[in-house]
Amino acid sequence: MRTLLDLELVALTKRYGSTVAVDAVSHLFPSGSYVCLLGPSGCGKSSTLRMIAGHEAVSDGAIILAGKDISKLPPAQRGTAMMFQNYALFPHLSVIDNVAFSLKMKGVEKPERHRAAAEMLELVDMAALAQRMPAQLSGGQQQRIALARALITKPQVLLLDEPLSALDPFLRIRMRAELKRLQRELGITFLHVTHGQDEALALADQVVVMNNAVIEQAGSARDVFNAPNTEFVARFMGGHNVLTLAGQKQALRADRTRLARSGEGLPATVTSVEFQGAHVAVGLSGTTGGEFTALVPEADFYADPFALGDAAVAAWSPQHLHSLAK
Ligand code: ADP
């Protein structure tokens, strides 16, 4: 359902010389949702985000926010705010002055901007460190400050460019939960660029998969994962086998691929066995269809373990097989 505050891209295009980085992308981002823009390096994610933020000129098309085309407005007048990958904090300013910076630029008096900054620091749980300098903060703390600094402008859309990539894996998962909490609490749209499918699945109400400058598929995290439209999406989201069966490309969930010693199904030879904790990944070469993987629950696998070179028969229920458009 459309609402007044939705963000809409209309045939949005970015060209750098002869390179088309974003190719006539049209898409509606529902207001108040957590959206992840997902895709491999070079697919056009950052260019899209930077055009929305106003840090990159639009070559063609429009960016509609709250009913008006913002594509020619200066960044500060768009109703968007951006949080950068490297946080870009001012090293010579204290935490509270970093957060208050954009209000200072707008001419807001010191007591008022410090009051607003303190409120933002409260929101990201950093009130106790208001007087520190950025160099005295951990990576995770710097990220919270960068968030507070972006949110103080009360944007309708917060743009996040690979916000978790500088953190170690442990902190990344903690900050991921924190971002989700903030988005729910504020009720604004978060548009988060990532190349990590696990990050997108964990966070997004809507996943938008980009490839070669266009949107390949968009939908809820579950829909995109369970029903990929194309071979690219199936492979990029992971967890799927792409098989050519009866001349048609199909995707089959690896964890729904059952293995037996004999019986009905696709005959194959075991080419690899990899213990992954909860599952064992069994690599197979089918007599038709190509190479594929069965993710077998650990206990099932060890009840009758397959070894390299063993013959196996793979089977699945038809609902776990999806035809791919390309
Ligand atoms: P992503 O964020 O998905 O990695 P980008 O939007 O950064 O992708 O880049 C998309 C394409 O545009 C790539 O081919 C990249 O090399 C090119 N590109 C990005 N920025 C520039 C630039 N400033 N000048 C020329 N080409 C660029």
Side-chain angles (χ1 to χ4, degrees), residues 13-22 44-48 50-51 55-57 59:
T13 301
K14 181 68 200 180
R15 286 182 288 268
Y16 301 101
S18 58
T19 305
V20 182
V22 180
K45 307 180 296 294
S46 296
S47 297
T48 303
R50 291 200 304 264
M51 282 192 285
H55 299 307
E56 193 77 72
S59 303

Side-chain angles (χ1 to χ4, degrees), residues 7 32-36 49 52-53 65 78-84 123-124 143-144 146-161 163 178-180 182-183 186-193:
L7 171 68
S33 53
Y34 204 119
V35 182
C36 283
L49 204 72
I52 298 170
L65 179 58
R78 293 187 171 208
T80 60
M82 178 109 161
M83 197 190 100
F84 296 94
L123 184 72
V124 297
Q143 185 185 49
R144 286 166 193 264
L147 261 174
R149 194 179 57 173
L151 290 170
I152 200 166
T153 62
K154 305 265 183 222
Q156 290 155 27
V157 178
L158 180 67
L159 305 162
L160 306 113
D161 190 4
E178 192 74 358
L179 285 177
K180 185 83 180 168
L182 266 177
Q183 188 272 331
L186 296 167
I188 63 173
T189 304
F190 276 32
L191 181 49
H192 172 142
V193 160

Side-chain angles (χ1 to χ4, degrees), residues 4 21 32 38 54 84 97 148 175 188 217 230-231 318 324:
L4 270 180
L38 173 69
F84 296 94
D97 283 329
M175 285 310 296
I188 63 173
Q217 187 171 354
T230 64
E231 175 169 3
L324 299 172

